[in-house]
Amino acid sequence: MQTPPAPTPGREFVLTVSCPDRVGIVHAVSGVMLEQGLTIVDAQQFGDASSGEFHLRMHLAREGAPVAAEEVEAALADVVAEFGMTAAVHDLAVPRRVLLMVSQQGHVLNDVLFRVGSGGLPIEVPAIVSNHEDFRALAEWHGVPFHHVPVTRDTKPEAEAELRRLVDTYDADSIGLARYMQILSPQLCADFPGRIINIHHSLLPSFKGAKPYTQAHDRGVKVIGATAHYVTADLDEGPIIEQDFRRVDHRMSPAELARVGQELEAMAFARALRWHAEHRVVLRGRRTIVFQ
Amino acid sequence: MQTPPAPTPGREFVLTVSCPDRVGIVHAVSGVMLEQGLTIVDAQQFGDASSGEFHLRMHLAREGAPVAAEEVEAALADVVAEFGMTAAVHDLAVPRRVLLMVSQQGHVLNDVLFRVGSGGLPIEVPAIVSNHEDFRALAEWHGVPFHHVPVTRDTKPEAEAELRRLVDTYDADSIGLARYMQILSPQLCADFPGRIINIHHSLLPSFKGAKPYTQAHDRGVKVIGATAHYVTADLDEGPIIEQDFRRVDHRMSPAELARVGQELEAMAFARALRWHAEHRVVLRGRRTIVFQ
Amino acid sequence: MQTPPAPTPGREFVLTVSCPDRVGIVHAVSGVMLEQGLTIVDAQQFGDASSGEFHLRMHLAREGAPVAAEEVEAALADVVAEFGMTAAVHDLAVPRRVLLMVSQQGHVLNDVLFRVGSGGLPIEVPAIVSNHEDFRALAEWHGVPFHHVPVTRDTKPEAEAELRRLVDTYDADSIGLARYMQILSPQLCADFPGRIINIHHSLLPSFKGAKPYTQAHDRGVKVIGATAHYVTADLDEGPIIEQDFRRVDHRMSPAELARVGQELEAMAFARALRWHAEHRVVLRGRRTIVFQ
Amino acid sequence: MQTPPAPTPGREFVLTVSCPDRVGIVHAVSGVMLEQGLTIVDAQQFGDASSGEFHLRMHLAREGAPVAAEEVEAALADVVAEFGMTAAVHDLAVPRRVLLMVSQQGHVLNDVLFRVGSGGLPIEVPAIVSNHEDFRALAEWHGVPFHHVPVTRDTKPEAEAELRRLVDTYDADSIGLARYMQILSPQLCADFPGRIINIHHSLLPSFKGAKPYTQAHDRGVKVIGATAHYVTADLDEGPIIEQDFRRVDHRMSPAELARVGQELEAMAFARALRWHAEHRVVLRGRRTIVFQ
């Protein structure tokens, strides 16, 4: 699978910082980056008045010799200790590896694969896992290994064990549920916090669970949408990353709502993957901060 | 209060028809209208496959001598009987009279009054009723009688009796709740079916009840909205007429969501009033058909 | 290429009618349809006050024995003559055959092929023509014949002759320019009126011609869009069928505008193809009526 | 006119900085703010790759004794010199004074006055100037002085002289053209750069000049909008601050487009005023940077 032109290792980083809000954070952090020869390409911050927390994302670039992300992290150690920070430095040359799962509707999968293949989404897709065979040919055409892992109520433990094995084998750091219509076990959700992204075909918290387009039709809403969210053990209750939406009217049957909704699902999921891949999403309880 | 230029009595009508769907309805109805010398200015229909019902709205105009709406209705009597129709003919020269209710937030009220006063919304506002005095001056500046009807848990029956009296006095055919923060009694809701329109400050069915902007903030949604709906005895469960919506992000506090939402509330409410006034809304159970 | 489930021949039709507006059109037309045993599934009309013209689209269904579209047209002949109509009856079992053209950007092509292949867009794509080889593999994977027709300033006549030959060979009734970056000759445009659909990557009439995303960036607009339109000899001046749009801001480079715009292009083009295929678009001078 | 609750003088500031982009800016600026006892409440930056410029907006707050904006500016003098900065410090307790101008359409004026009066827009409106008398009563009801300054082609110099006198008298720092249908002279535009905001009723650069809704109708666009922009001597060519937009269709006459567009005009204008008032808009040639 063709990947987008990557940054050179050790030249571009994203720094993410969270800590209690107080005077001097930006000055302290920017001082360390200055010493490390790192220019601030872009920076966003958010002081959350309701929690007293401060969050920062810096996109950094280096002119001189490359440097390791660990080295930058180490240089920040004193500041991290002083301010009680959670901090991480990510080398942008190392793309996130997102294993994709799908069932029998392929519009989201097709959209992601085309974007990745044409350089439009900065992730790697090391493998595709499905409980059906429908999209083996599509996966293989894109040069992505495809694994059929059937699952029934009785075999879910075995299926999830196989999934965990595949995540390890392919060194995937995240899982993208591109219309995978099985509920993951609470333990699996708990073991990958902030690392599994689902696309649900409603504007959550409206219309959780099964057949959201039918629910939307029955309730007679005038707008439908799709929600990309991190998966937690509470079904359709995880922190929302992105939502897209469109006006609809009484003439549209559930099937027509589904057709229109497919576009929304693909767009919301792709944006969520991008922001996740670019370390723009900070997870705080039931909410996300998305530094666009 | 300045009103928009009215059509001449007996020259422009809206016909609304609902009946079981079968062959020949349009031909039969259009035949009667032809005999009555009425041109079809516009027509919309909807065959609801899920219920087997057919719904029709015709905007009709007459070149020759004016005619009474009752006369047109009478001419249609045979067709009504033959097809088992519910049908009504409305003279567009007779604007709907919508009594408005408000509490202490005036943005929706101000918006409606400006629209009506400048000819932008084809309704009459015969009176404004409020459980507070805040908007007496605004009402009076627009030349609309203002009635302060305070209400507590204990005095709700008396307050509603007074409201019913005012509806009669002013010959209002509908009630518009322009951010009226009191819950109406089930009996009152039942006595005015399809005649009370509320604006709720969320994208229903999300965030029913109190403080929807705070609920939206806590859930971390990426879109907020407002819902104009007919009031039924089930709080915030009535049939939706219109919704408007806008993208938001983590930086917005509940107060900022409320500020943005005010625009959405005013727009959704004004559109719902317009469509109600122009006899564009057909009420079917929990859903509406809106012939735009 | 897998196609959507087709209606049975002779059971579902679209009737389109345009004529000078006068009393009795709907009654006359619906009378003929009643005699032909055709139920009105859906109907939309538009009386254009500015031109005095009346336009009608009826979706018709037949319970009994199938009938030929030509037979229905013949039955309407007297009414057509009486009212001075332009009228056509289309059998919905006969899908439109849209030959697609593309250059070196494949996002729109990929989107259309996936939709058609998964039953989401009711057209047939008999062939793909390109002035480059880039998408031969994609076309072949979808089972669609691919023709490389290179074109330079000097060889345009030969290239267009070859295109006309392919249109004939494949019995295509329309041409879809899915990001085909060559200007067609005035003669070709004139020979296929209302049968060539282009997607332009701006909100026309803003930013005609080359590099619209760069133009949009330089002008500092806060919204970008895409426009699907019928092609005429006046570049980017043809009648608009559909536009989609999204909010942008100063942080987005022309390349990022292009990335966001790709989604808009694909959606606007797909909707235009759908409406064209379902005979929902009436072409009137520089404007279109779209019966949704 | 009731104004929103103001911040205490000398406690909250906005710092705006523009300079050539180089290493160390954020560290240097945040160091001075730290010395001045100023916390960064919020900060946004933009490194413009196309121009090599860096732009920064900081919202600052002070816990201890109040301080004058001039004092903060003086403390920054060395950094300003070192980096070749344009910098300004604005005390948020001093609201911008925006003189409003209007002709005969009052929807934008009414919207702004209601927002300011109810605390929803942090500006002061010291006076309203109009070439017509229509909105004297509205202005006076809101307690804002109203000045009728008629203007003809021959008297424009005198009218503009009177306008300048009123700007001085009321100590207005900006002018808001709330549907003022006269073209200002090039000299007046040049004398108030970045201080006059107009609302144009189209999605610029489409449909400049007169009757944009009629132009939009004739061209058959499927989306209309409104554009708030700084006024320059080039009519409708000034830098865009904000645009709002909505989907429309063939059924809408120019008058109906105008009715829908009124909402868009009011919203885009109010947002532009807010961002201008909060020192969020940086003017760079034909483009604006808006730090939301």
Side-chain angles (χ1 to χ4, degrees), chain C residues 205-206 217 219 222-223 237-238 241-243 247 250 286-290, chain D residues 205-206 217 219 222-223 237-238 241-243 247 250 286-290:
Chain C
S206 288
H217 180 266
R219 183 61 187 88
K222 305 302 186 186
V223 54
E237 289 282 358
I241 305 169
E242 170 63 342
Q243 299 185 298
R247 185 172 284 279
H250 65 269
R286 292 185 73 199
R287 311 181 68 228
T288 62
I289 297 156
V290 181
Chain D
S206 289
H217 180 266
R219 182 62 186 89
K222 304 302 185 187
V223 54
E237 288 282 359
I241 305 169
E242 170 64 342
Q243 299 186 299
R247 186 172 284 279
H250 65 270
R286 292 185 73 199
R287 311 181 67 228
T288 63
I289 297 156
V290 181

mmCIF file of all heavy atoms in Angstrom, chain C residues 205-206 217 219 222-223 237-238 241-243 247 250 286-290, chain D residues 205-206 217 219 222-223 237-238 241-243 247 250 286-290:
data_model
loop_
_atom_site.group_PDB
_atom_site.id
_atom_site.type_symbol
_atom_site.label_atom_id
_atom_site.label_comp_id
_atom_site.label_asym_id
_atom_site.label_seq_id
_atom_site.Cartn_x
_atom_site.Cartn_y
_atom_site.Cartn_z
ATOM 1 N N PRO C 205 -20.303 30.854 -9.015
ATOM 2 C CA PRO C 205 -19.378 31.413 -9.998
ATOM 3 C C PRO C 205 -18.046 31.902 -9.426
ATOM 4 O O PRO C 205 -17.279 32.493 -10.191
ATOM 5 C CB PRO C 205 -20.176 32.578 -10.586
ATOM 6 C CG PRO C 205 -21.053 33.011 -9.475
ATOM 7 C CD PRO C 205 -21.414 31.777 -8.730
ATOM 8 N N SER C 206 -17.752 31.676 -8.158
ATOM 9 C CA SER C 206 -16.425 32.035 -7.655
ATOM 10 C C SER C 206 -15.379 31.088 -8.224
ATOM 11 O O SER C 206 -15.619 29.888 -8.317
ATOM 12 C CB SER C 206 -16.386 31.928 -6.129
ATOM 13 O OG SER C 206 -17.114 32.959 -5.537
ATOM 14 N N HIS C 217 -7.660 30.290 -1.458
ATOM 15 C CA HIS C 217 -6.709 30.607 -0.394
ATOM 16 C C HIS C 217 -6.266 32.070 -0.499
ATOM 17 O O HIS C 217 -6.262 32.803 0.506
ATOM 18 C CB HIS C 217 -5.502 29.669 -0.489
ATOM 19 C CG HIS C 217 -4.476 29.924 0.551
ATOM 20 N ND1 HIS C 217 -3.394 30.741 0.335
ATOM 21 C CD2 HIS C 217 -4.375 29.510 1.838
ATOM 22 C CE1 HIS C 217 -2.657 30.801 1.443
ATOM 23 N NE2 HIS C 217 -3.233 30.058 2.370
ATOM 24 N N ARG C 219 -7.742 34.589 -1.841
ATOM 25 C CA ARG C 219 -8.819 35.544 -1.552
ATOM 26 C C ARG C 219 -9.234 35.494 -0.081
ATOM 27 O O ARG C 219 -9.950 36.353 0.410
ATOM 28 C CB ARG C 219 -10.036 35.240 -2.456
ATOM 29 C CG ARG C 219 -11.207 36.216 -2.303
ATOM 30 C CD ARG C 219 -10.800 37.643 -2.672
ATOM 31 N NE ARG C 219 -11.849 38.624 -2.388
ATOM 32 C CZ ARG C 219 -11.966 39.229 -1.207
ATOM 33 N NH1 ARG C 219 -11.123 38.974 -0.234
ATOM 34 N NH2 ARG C 219 -12.930 40.112 -1.030
ATOM 35 N N LYS C 222 -13.893 32.037 3.695
ATOM 36 C CA LYS C 222 -14.107 31.237 4.889
ATOM 37 C C LYS C 222 -14.979 30.010 4.604
ATOM 38 O O LYS C 222 -15.372 29.300 5.528
ATOM 39 C CB LYS C 222 -14.739 32.097 5.987
ATOM 40 C CG LYS C 222 -13.943 33.368 6.334
ATOM 41 C CD LYS C 222 -12.511 33.085 6.792
ATOM 42 C CE LYS C 222 -11.817 34.372 7.257
ATOM 43 N NZ LYS C 222 -10.394 34.138 7.567
ATOM 44 N N VAL C 223 -15.312 29.805 3.334
ATOM 45 C CA VAL C 223 -16.056 28.608 2.930
ATOM 46 C C VAL C 223 -15.558 28.200 1.549
ATOM 47 O O VAL C 223 -15.310 29.054 0.695
ATOM 48 C CB VAL C 223 -17.579 28.858 2.924
ATOM 49 C CG1 VAL C 223 -17.939 30.057 2.075
ATOM 50 C CG2 VAL C 223 -18.347 27.632 2.459
ATOM 51 N N GLU C 237 -19.471 27.797 -16.833
ATOM 52 C CA GLU C 237 -20.659 28.655 -16.820
ATOM 53 C C GLU C 237 -21.936 27.841 -17.014
ATOM 54 O O GLU C 237 -23.019 28.398 -17.103
ATOM 55 C CB GLU C 237 -20.561 29.716 -17.926
ATOM 56 C CG GLU C 237 -19.539 30.802 -17.675
ATOM 57 C CD GLU C 237 -20.045 31.848 -16.684
ATOM 58 O OE1 GLU C 237 -21.188 31.747 -16.221
ATOM 59 O OE2 GLU C 237 -19.274 32.756 -16.384
ATOM 60 N N GLY C 238 -21.831 26.534 -17.117
ATOM 61 C CA GLY C 238 -23.002 25.707 -17.380
ATOM 62 C C GLY C 238 -23.960 25.668 -16.204
ATOM 63 O O GLY C 238 -23.610 26.041 -15.082
ATOM 64 N N ILE C 241 -26.132 21.897 -11.124
ATOM 65 C CA ILE C 241 -27.031 20.852 -10.628
ATOM 66 C C ILE C 241 -26.955 20.764 -9.104
ATOM 67 O O ILE C 241 -27.965 20.674 -8.419
ATOM 68 C CB ILE C 241 -26.665 19.483 -11.239
ATOM 69 C CG1 ILE C 241 -26.660 19.559 -12.768
ATOM 70 C CG2 ILE C 241 -27.639 18.399 -10.765
ATOM 71 C CD1 ILE C 241 -26.051 18.332 -13.440
ATOM 72 N N GLU C 242 -25.741 20.815 -8.566
ATOM 73 C CA GLU C 242 -25.579 20.639 -7.121
ATOM 74 C C GLU C 242 -24.294 21.297 -6.664
ATOM 75 O O GLU C 242 -23.309 21.371 -7.416
ATOM 76 C CB GLU C 242 -25.568 19.133 -6.781
ATOM 77 C CG GLU C 242 -25.171 18.749 -5.379
ATOM 78 C CD GLU C 242 -26.101 19.247 -4.269
ATOM 79 O OE1 GLU C 242 -26.894 20.171 -4.513
ATOM 80 O OE2 GLU C 242 -26.015 18.719 -3.153
ATOM 81 N N GLN C 243 -24.309 21.792 -5.415
ATOM 82 C CA GLN C 243 -23.107 22.337 -4.791
ATOM 83 C C GLN C 243 -23.010 21.808 -3.373
ATOM 84 O O GLN C 243 -24.017 21.673 -2.678
ATOM 85 C CB GLN C 243 -23.167 23.874 -4.765
ATOM 86 C CG GLN C 243 -23.256 24.480 -6.171
ATOM 87 C CD GLN C 243 -23.191 25.990 -6.201
ATOM 88 O OE1 GLN C 243 -24.038 26.667 -5.643
ATOM 89 N NE2 GLN C 243 -22.178 26.512 -6.871
ATOM 90 N N ARG C 247 -16.994 24.990 5.817
ATOM 91 C CA ARG C 247 -16.279 26.089 6.459
ATOM 92 C C ARG C 247 -14.778 25.779 6.504
ATOM 93 O O ARG C 247 -14.386 24.645 6.784
ATOM 94 C CB ARG C 247 -16.844 26.235 7.873
ATOM 95 C CG ARG C 247 -16.334 27.380 8.679
ATOM 96 C CD ARG C 247 -17.131 27.485 9.958
ATOM 97 N NE ARG C 247 -18.454 28.059 9.732
ATOM 98 C CZ ARG C 247 -18.666 29.375 9.613
ATOM 99 N NH1 ARG C 247 -17.667 30.222 9.749
ATOM 100 N NH2 ARG C 247 -19.883 29.838 9.399
ATOM 101 N N HIS C 250 -8.045 30.319 8.088
ATOM 102 C CA HIS C 250 -6.754 30.826 7.591
ATOM 103 C C HIS C 250 -5.621 29.808 7.707
ATOM 104 O O HIS C 250 -4.604 29.930 7.044
ATOM 105 C CB HIS C 250 -6.370 32.092 8.376
ATOM 106 C CG HIS C 250 -6.105 31.825 9.831
ATOM 107 N ND1 HIS C 250 -7.089 31.900 10.803
ATOM 108 C CD2 HIS C 250 -4.984 31.436 10.491
ATOM 109 C CE1 HIS C 250 -6.585 31.596 11.972
ATOM 110 N NE2 HIS C 250 -5.313 31.311 11.825
ATOM 111 N N ARG C 286 -29.720 28.925 -18.074
ATOM 112 C CA ARG C 286 -28.563 28.799 -17.189
ATOM 113 C C ARG C 286 -28.920 28.168 -15.862
ATOM 114 O O ARG C 286 -28.086 28.076 -14.970
ATOM 115 C CB ARG C 286 -27.975 30.186 -16.895
ATOM 116 C CG ARG C 286 -27.346 30.844 -18.088
ATOM 117 C CD ARG C 286 -26.706 32.139 -17.663
ATOM 118 N NE ARG C 286 -25.481 31.892 -16.906
ATOM 119 C CZ ARG C 286 -24.917 32.792 -16.103
ATOM 120 N NH1 ARG C 286 -25.484 33.963 -15.926
ATOM 121 N NH2 ARG C 286 -23.802 32.507 -15.459
ATOM 122 N N ARG C 287 -30.194 27.791 -15.691
ATOM 123 C CA ARG C 287 -30.632 27.293 -14.406
ATOM 124 C C ARG C 287 -31.124 25.852 -14.528
ATOM 125 O O ARG C 287 -31.468 25.397 -15.609
ATOM 126 C CB ARG C 287 -31.761 28.169 -13.854
ATOM 127 C CG ARG C 287 -31.431 29.658 -13.902
ATOM 128 C CD ARG C 287 -32.565 30.491 -13.331
ATOM 129 N NE ARG C 287 -32.665 30.264 -11.915
ATOM 130 C CZ ARG C 287 -33.798 30.008 -11.267
ATOM 131 N NH1 ARG C 287 -34.938 29.965 -11.923
ATOM 132 N NH2 ARG C 287 -33.805 29.794 -9.976
ATOM 133 N N THR C 288 -31.161 25.151 -13.398
ATOM 134 C CA THR C 288 -31.774 23.831 -13.379
ATOM 135 C C THR C 288 -32.890 23.821 -12.341
ATOM 136 O O THR C 288 -32.828 24.510 -11.328
ATOM 137 C CB THR C 288 -30.786 22.719 -12.979
ATOM 138 O OG1 THR C 288 -30.326 22.958 -11.647
ATOM 139 C CG2 THR C 288 -29.608 22.630 -13.930
ATOM 140 N N ILE C 289 -33.887 23.040 -12.640
ATOM 141 C CA ILE C 289 -34.896 22.681 -11.647
ATOM 142 C C ILE C 289 -34.547 21.260 -11.227
ATOM 143 O O ILE C 289 -34.395 20.388 -12.078
ATOM 144 C CB ILE C 289 -36.304 22.732 -12.276
ATOM 145 C CG1 ILE C 289 -36.615 24.170 -12.709
ATOM 146 C CG2 ILE C 289 -37.354 22.182 -11.327
ATOM 147 C CD1 ILE C 289 -37.652 24.241 -13.809
ATOM 148 N N VAL C 290 -34.373 21.033 -9.941
ATOM 149 C CA VAL C 290 -34.048 19.696 -9.466
ATOM 150 C C VAL C 290 -35.189 19.215 -8.570
ATOM 151 O O VAL C 290 -35.382 19.725 -7.471
ATOM 152 C CB VAL C 290 -32.710 19.674 -8.698
ATOM 153 C CG1 VAL C 290 -32.388 18.251 -8.245
ATOM 154 C CG2 VAL C 290 -31.575 20.216 -9.559
ATOM 155 N N PRO D 205 -16.178 35.903 -3.393
ATOM 156 C CA PRO D 205 -16.245 36.922 -4.443
ATOM 157 C C PRO D 205 -17.387 36.760 -5.437
ATOM 158 O O PRO D 205 -17.416 37.494 -6.417
ATOM 159 C CB PRO D 205 -14.892 36.765 -5.157
ATOM 160 C CG PRO D 205 -14.568 35.325 -4.993
ATOM 161 C CD PRO D 205 -15.087 34.947 -3.641
ATOM 162 N N SER D 206 -18.323 35.857 -5.216
ATOM 163 C CA SER D 206 -19.490 35.791 -6.099
ATOM 164 C C SER D 206 -20.406 36.989 -5.848
ATOM 165 O O SER D 206 -20.592 37.388 -4.704
ATOM 166 C CB SER D 206 -20.306 34.519 -5.818
ATOM 167 O OG SER D 206 -19.633 33.383 -6.266
ATOM 168 N N HIS D 217 -30.087 34.188 -7.956
ATOM 169 C CA HIS D 217 -31.239 33.514 -8.554
ATOM 170 C C HIS D 217 -31.007 33.277 -10.039
ATOM 171 O O HIS D 217 -31.231 32.162 -10.547
ATOM 172 C CB HIS D 217 -32.502 34.355 -8.323
ATOM 173 C CG HIS D 217 -33.726 33.737 -8.903
ATOM 174 N ND1 HIS D 217 -34.190 34.057 -10.159
ATOM 175 C CD2 HIS D 217 -34.573 32.797 -8.417
ATOM 176 C CE1 HIS D 217 -35.274 33.347 -10.423
ATOM 177 N NE2 HIS D 217 -35.533 32.578 -9.380
ATOM 178 N N ARG D 219 -28.253 33.040 -11.694
ATOM 179 C CA ARG D 219 -27.185 32.085 -11.982
ATOM 180 C C ARG D 219 -27.568 30.672 -11.542
ATOM 181 O O ARG D 219 -26.913 29.698 -11.906
ATOM 182 C CB ARG D 219 -25.895 32.534 -11.267
ATOM 183 C CG ARG D 219 -24.677 31.643 -11.519
ATOM 184 C CD ARG D 219 -24.302 31.631 -12.995
ATOM 185 N NE ARG D 219 -23.245 30.680 -13.297
ATOM 186 C CZ ARG D 219 -23.462 29.400 -13.628
ATOM 187 N NH1 ARG D 219 -24.693 28.941 -13.700
ATOM 188 N NH2 ARG D 219 -22.466 28.602 -13.887
ATOM 189 N N LYS D 222 -26.936 26.843 -5.803
ATOM 190 C CA LYS D 222 -27.639 25.999 -4.843
ATOM 191 C C LYS D 222 -27.256 26.337 -3.411
ATOM 192 O O LYS D 222 -27.661 25.647 -2.463
ATOM 193 C CB LYS D 222 -27.341 24.530 -5.140
ATOM 194 C CG LYS D 222 -27.684 24.091 -6.572
ATOM 195 C CD LYS D 222 -29.146 24.305 -6.960
ATOM 196 C CE LYS D 222 -29.461 23.742 -8.338
ATOM 197 N NZ LYS D 222 -30.818 24.091 -8.795
ATOM 198 N N VAL D 223 -26.458 27.387 -3.237
ATOM 199 C CA VAL D 223 -26.117 27.870 -1.894
ATOM 200 C C VAL D 223 -25.991 29.391 -1.961
ATOM 201 O O VAL D 223 -25.480 29.936 -2.938
ATOM 202 C CB VAL D 223 -24.793 27.230 -1.384
ATOM 203 C CG1 VAL D 223 -23.665 27.438 -2.364
ATOM 204 C CG2 VAL D 223 -24.419 27.769 -0.013
ATOM 205 N N GLU D 237 -14.221 44.021 -2.188
ATOM 206 C CA GLU D 237 -12.961 43.287 -2.357
ATOM 207 C C GLU D 237 -12.146 43.258 -1.063
ATOM 208 O O GLU D 237 -11.027 42.754 -1.047
ATOM 209 C CB GLU D 237 -12.120 43.941 -3.467
ATOM 210 C CG GLU D 237 -12.648 43.728 -4.857
ATOM 211 C CD GLU D 237 -12.323 42.340 -5.400
ATOM 212 O OE1 GLU D 237 -11.672 41.544 -4.708
ATOM 213 O OE2 GLU D 237 -12.756 42.067 -6.534
ATOM 214 N N GLY D 238 -12.666 43.838 0.003
ATOM 215 C CA GLY D 238 -11.903 43.915 1.245
ATOM 216 C C GLY D 238 -11.728 42.552 1.893
ATOM 217 O O GLY D 238 -12.410 41.589 1.552
ATOM 218 N N ILE D 241 -13.807 38.616 6.879
ATOM 219 C CA ILE D 241 -13.711 38.204 8.286
ATOM 220 C C ILE D 241 -14.528 36.942 8.525
ATOM 221 O O ILE D 241 -14.079 36.012 9.197
ATOM 222 C CB ILE D 241 -14.209 39.334 9.222
ATOM 223 C CG1 ILE D 241 -13.450 40.636 8.948
ATOM 224 C CG2 ILE D 241 -14.062 38.921 10.693
ATOM 225 C CD1 ILE D 241 -14.061 41.846 9.634
ATOM 226 N N GLU D 242 -15.738 36.906 7.982
ATOM 227 C CA GLU D 242 -16.622 35.768 8.247
ATOM 228 C C GLU D 242 -17.629 35.625 7.116
ATOM 229 O O GLU D 242 -18.028 36.600 6.488
ATOM 230 C CB GLU D 242 -17.352 35.988 9.594
ATOM 231 C CG GLU D 242 -18.482 35.029 9.914
ATOM 232 C CD GLU D 242 -18.076 33.566 10.099
ATOM 233 O OE1 GLU D 242 -16.971 33.185 9.666
ATOM 234 O OE2 GLU D 242 -18.870 32.805 10.672
ATOM 235 N N GLN D 243 -18.030 34.368 6.879
ATOM 236 C CA GLN D 243 -19.096 34.080 5.905
ATOM 237 C C GLN D 243 -20.043 33.064 6.507
ATOM 238 O O GLN D 243 -19.620 32.139 7.200
ATOM 239 C CB GLN D 243 -18.480 33.522 4.605
ATOM 240 C CG GLN D 243 -17.519 34.505 3.942
ATOM 241 C CD GLN D 243 -17.013 34.046 2.588
ATOM 242 O OE1 GLN D 243 -16.374 33.011 2.479
ATOM 243 N NE2 GLN D 243 -17.286 34.827 1.552
ATOM 244 N N ARG D 247 -28.061 26.243 2.071
ATOM 245 C CA ARG D 247 -28.544 25.578 0.866
ATOM 246 C C ARG D 247 -29.883 26.179 0.429
ATOM 247 O O ARG D 247 -30.746 26.455 1.261
ATOM 248 C CB ARG D 247 -28.721 24.101 1.200
ATOM 249 C CG ARG D 247 -29.082 23.193 0.067
ATOM 250 C CD ARG D 247 -29.024 21.747 0.521
ATOM 251 N NE ARG D 247 -27.661 21.284 0.636
ATOM 252 C CZ ARG D 247 -26.934 20.868 -0.403
ATOM 253 N NH1 ARG D 247 -27.453 20.843 -1.614
ATOM 254 N NH2 ARG D 247 -25.692 20.484 -0.229
ATOM 255 N N HIS D 250 -34.339 25.740 -6.543
ATOM 256 C CA HIS D 250 -34.949 26.473 -7.656
ATOM 257 C C HIS D 250 -36.272 27.136 -7.304
ATOM 258 O O HIS D 250 -36.710 28.052 -7.981
ATOM 259 C CB HIS D 250 -35.170 25.511 -8.842
ATOM 260 C CG HIS D 250 -36.178 24.429 -8.535
ATOM 261 N ND1 HIS D 250 -35.830 23.213 -7.990
ATOM 262 C CD2 HIS D 250 -37.521 24.400 -8.667
ATOM 263 C CE1 HIS D 250 -36.910 22.491 -7.817
ATOM 264 N NE2 HIS D 250 -37.941 23.163 -8.213
ATOM 265 N N ARG D 286 -5.023 40.953 1.590
ATOM 266 C CA ARG D 286 -6.421 40.657 1.256
ATOM 267 C C ARG D 286 -6.992 39.584 2.152
ATOM 268 O O ARG D 286 -8.110 39.137 1.952
ATOM 269 C CB ARG D 286 -6.521 40.145 -0.182
ATOM 270 C CG ARG D 286 -6.193 41.197 -1.221
ATOM 271 C CD ARG D 286 -6.451 40.624 -2.597
ATOM 272 N NE ARG D 286 -7.872 40.519 -2.867
ATOM 273 C CZ ARG D 286 -8.396 39.728 -3.809
ATOM 274 N NH1 ARG D 286 -7.614 38.961 -4.529
ATOM 275 N NH2 ARG D 286 -9.701 39.701 -3.995
ATOM 276 N N ARG D 287 -6.227 39.096 3.107
ATOM 277 C CA ARG D 287 -6.680 37.982 3.922
ATOM 278 C C ARG D 287 -6.754 38.396 5.379
ATOM 279 O O ARG D 287 -6.140 39.372 5.795
ATOM 280 C CB ARG D 287 -5.723 36.798 3.768
ATOM 281 C CG ARG D 287 -5.404 36.479 2.314
ATOM 282 C CD ARG D 287 -4.471 35.294 2.192
ATOM 283 N NE ARG D 287 -5.154 34.094 2.634
ATOM 284 C CZ ARG D 287 -4.657 33.202 3.480
ATOM 285 N NH1 ARG D 287 -3.449 33.364 3.988
ATOM 286 N NH2 ARG D 287 -5.350 32.145 3.853
ATOM 287 N N THR D 288 -7.524 37.655 6.151
ATOM 288 C CA THR D 288 -7.524 37.854 7.597
ATOM 289 C C THR D 288 -7.133 36.553 8.281
ATOM 290 O O THR D 288 -7.411 35.458 7.775
ATOM 291 C CB THR D 288 -8.913 38.251 8.152
ATOM 292 O OG1 THR D 288 -9.829 37.182 7.898
ATOM 293 C CG2 THR D 288 -9.424 39.538 7.567
ATOM 294 N N ILE D 289 -6.478 36.693 9.410
ATOM 295 C CA ILE D 289 -6.285 35.587 10.331
ATOM 296 C C ILE D 289 -7.278 35.830 11.449
ATOM 297 O O ILE D 289 -7.314 36.924 12.016
ATOM 298 C CB ILE D 289 -4.840 35.597 10.875
ATOM 299 C CG1 ILE D 289 -3.864 35.389 9.714
ATOM 300 C CG2 ILE D 289 -4.663 34.572 11.977
ATOM 301 C CD1 ILE D 289 -2.489 35.936 10.001
ATOM 302 N N VAL D 290 -8.120 34.853 11.746
ATOM 303 C CA VAL D 290 -9.103 35.010 12.818
ATOM 304 C C VAL D 290 -8.791 33.973 13.896
ATOM 305 O O VAL D 290 -8.965 32.773 13.690
ATOM 306 C CB VAL D 290 -10.543 34.830 12.296
ATOM 307 C CG1 VAL D 290 -11.537 35.016 13.434
ATOM 308 C CG2 VAL D 290 -10.835 35.825 11.173
#
